[in-house]
Amino acid sequence: MFNDKNIFITGGTGSWANELVTQLLENYKPKKVVIYSRGEHRQVEMKRHFNNPLLKFVIGDVRDKNILNMAMHDADIVFHLAALKHVPVCEENCWEAVLTNIYGTQNVIECAISNGVKKVIDVSTDKAVDPFNLYGVTKACGEKLVVNAGKNYDTKTIFTCIRAGNVMGTHGSVLPLFREQIALNNEITITDPEMTRYLMSTKEAIGLVFKAVTKAIGGEVFVMRMSSTTVEEMANVMIEIFGNKKTKKKIIGVRPGEKKHEVLVSKNESPRTKVLDDNYFVILPQDKNSKLEDAYGNLPNISSEEFSSLNAKRLKNSEFLSTLKKESWLWEKQS
Ligand SMILES: NC(=O)c1ccc[n+]([C@@H]2O[C@H](COP(=O)([O-])OP(=O)(O)OC[C@H]3O[C@@H](n4cnc5c(N)ncnc54)[C@H](OP(=O)(O)O)[C@@H]3O)[C@@H](O)[C@H]2O)c1
């Protein structure tokens, strides 16, 4: 799939991309991997860290179609990961979120088509389902643009989406925040103890991305079947690792734009959602597509009305603890 291919990653210096690059270089022999992002500092750090001549670094913004188009000129496979993804940041900078997450995604689509890219994989989020905040709205628009691109434009490029919930330890996620709070104040701030969130390690998430890429026909949304846990359980596990008897938990209330439970497959989507294997659901488009029907039509339908973090399999504390202990970011020196 990736051997001898030119891979292009927008948002190439982010958390997902770092693991994606690690697994690409460990398990495949790509011809070249282009890292496309705006910040030079993170590119320099990443270049030093990987120290691999197959990695090429290009400074650019997904909003800048000219540069994007030139940088993508020989790409075979595009992973579109660039996004503004912090819920409060998107709420406070609405137009910036629209420009990066919607306009930028349309630029990726158009550049991929004009450069004859074979596959484009957009990574989306549970927050795009029945969106409640602007981040989710922009990612929902991005999904629509991507899954419709194959039918709206006369192109051989395969466009597909992968939807996932929270990935442990990524920039801005709650677990590094809890660790920092324990170190600074010996206190953890909890929005709502009963709030549930999907949770998966970056390693697992990228493994699943690869599986989806192999299967993708175009126009479908792959949904990772993730386990979930409550915010209180996350806090308890972090206290078990880093805290002591005096570590406090402080309830601060839900922030604007946050849902109590997240949803990966909505009630409106479930009638056309298939169970691919233990790891995935596949959401088919509303209008009939014979290729997708041939590939997925015989698979069983999802059994629940919706797939939410409330009804998902709960991570046992012991499972969560052992997964977390394997996460290298957890043990890195805090800044
Ligand atoms: N983290 C999660 O738990 C999670 C879950 C589900 C889905 N996702 C999705 O997965 C993707 C990657 O997430 P992540 O956690 O890896 O994010 P991240 O660590 O914040 O990385 C974002 C990347 O995008 C780049 N970027 C931001 N704006 C850009 C722009 N206008 N043009 C070009 N590059 C830009 C950033 O670099 P510069 O700022 O230097 O440009 C960085 O490389 C996102 O699309 C996110 O919505 C994440």
Side-chain angles (χ1 to χ4, degrees):
M1 180 78 206
F2 303 114
N3 289 352
D4 210 31
K5 296 285 191 299
N6 288 328
I7 317 280
F8 187 91
I9 309 175
T10 73
T13 54
S15 309
W16 277 66
N18 267 276
E19 181 61 31
L20 173 63
V21 169
T22 303
Q23 292 196 30
L24 275 173
L25 297 177
E26 271 175 18
N27 305 322
Y28 303 91
K29 292 191 174 67
K31 200 190 281 175
K32 180 171 76 170
V33 180
V34 176
I35 302 297
Y36 187 86
S37 68
R38 298 163 307 165
E40 62 174 341
H41 178 64
R42 278 162 85 178
Q43 287 202 0
V44 170
E45 271 186 346
M46 194 171 168
K47 191 172 185 172
R48 279 198 200 120
H49 171 75
F50 282 98
N51 190 23
N52 188 316
L54 293 183
L55 290 188
K56 305 289 172 205
F57 291 84
V58 179
I59 299 279
D61 195 317
V62 287
R63 302 177 190 184
D64 185 342
K65 196 170 159 193
N66 282 340
I67 302 292
L68 185 64
N69 201 44
M70 282 195 290
M72 214 188 269
H73 73 99
D74 57 356
D76 296 303
I77 298 171
V78 171
F79 289 94
H80 177 40
L81 303 177
L84 287 182
K85 62 156 206 184
H86 290 261
V87 170
V89 172
C90 293
E91 293 295 297
E92 286 157 19
N93 301 272
C94 296
W95 187 236
E96 299 302 311
V98 168
L99 289 178
T100 297
N101 297 358
I102 302 179
Y103 188 75
T105 300
Q106 180 64 13
N107 281 343
V108 169
I109 291 167
E110 291 178 20
C111 293
I113 292 173
S114 61
N115 284 303
V117 169
K118 293 181 185 69
K119 264 185 192 178
V120 175
I121 300 98
D122 175 55
V123 175
S124 187
T125 160
D126 46 12
K127 306 211 170 35
V129 183
D130 296 338
F132 187 56
N133 50 56
L134 189 73
Y135 169 57
V137 171
T138 59
K139 293 295 282 188
C141 285
E143 274 191 16
K144 281 282 178 207
L145 291 170
V146 170
V147 293
N148 286 340
K151 78 171 186 220
N152 287 353
Y153 305 113
D154 184 17
T155 176
K156 290 198 172 119
T157 304
I158 288 173
F159 289 95
T160 196
C161 264
I162 294 171
R163 212 187 261 169
N166 290 3
V167 171
M168 288 179 203
T170 52
H171 296 127
S173 84
V174 74
L175 295 171
L177 174 72
F178 283 169
R179 184 189 59 162
E180 200 172 312
Q181 288 180 332
I182 295 172
L184 291 177
N185 308 322
N186 211 13
E187 179 178 272
I188 276 181
T189 56
I190 294 177
T191 48
D192 173 347
E194 289 172 7
M195 183 184 265
T196 58
R197 287 295 179 263
Y198 296 102
L199 214 52
M200 187 178 258
S201 73
T202 334
K203 213 179 179 65
E204 285 171 312
I206 297 300
L208 292 181
V209 168
F210 285 163
K211 275 197 181 177
V213 177
T214 319
K215 291 187 189 290
I217 289 170
E220 69 274 71
V221 177
F222 292 94
V223 175
M224 288 185 188
R225 197 205 284 252
M226 298 172 84
S227 305
S228 67
T229 185
T230 63
V231 172
E232 177 145 54
E233 277 160 10
M234 288 189 219
N236 291 344
V237 167
M238 290 304 279
I239 291 171
E240 193 168 333
I241 302 175
F242 293 108
N244 53 52
K245 281 184 187 147
K246 290 189 179 159
T247 313
K248 290 197 192 88
K249 288 184 264 180
K250 184 175 160 196
I251 315 278
I252 55 166
V254 174
R255 296 175 305 172
E258 275 185 333
K259 287 181 185 171
K260 185 156 178 174
H261 307 292
E262 296 288 359
V263 175
L264 272 169
V265 179
S266 73
K267 287 179 185 157
N268 286 322
E269 292 170 324
S270 59
R272 51 194 164 84
T273 300
K274 302 285 179 182
V275 182
L276 185 54
D277 56 32
D278 284 348
N279 299 320
Y280 283 111
F281 300 112
V282 186
I283 305 174
L284 303 181
Q286 272 172 299
D287 44 350
K288 293 269 178 236
N289 173 319
S290 56
K291 274 192 188 166
L292 291 171
E293 287 297 325
D294 288 349
Y296 306 113
N298 290 333
L299 296 174
N301 282 356
I302 188 170
S303 54
S304 54
E305 205 185 4
E306 68 172 11
F307 177 57
S308 78
S309 55
L310 185 64
N311 69 17
K313 180 178 164 261
R314 289 297 168 89
L315 267 177
K316 285 190 201 124
N317 266 14
S318 55
E319 286 171 337
F320 182 23
L321 193 64
S322 70
T323 313
L324 201 53
K325 281 184 171 171
K326 283 186 229 144
E327 293 283 292
S328 59
W329 58 265
L330 195 65
W331 312 106
E332 280 161 14
K333 201 168 165 288
Q334 280 175 256
S335 53

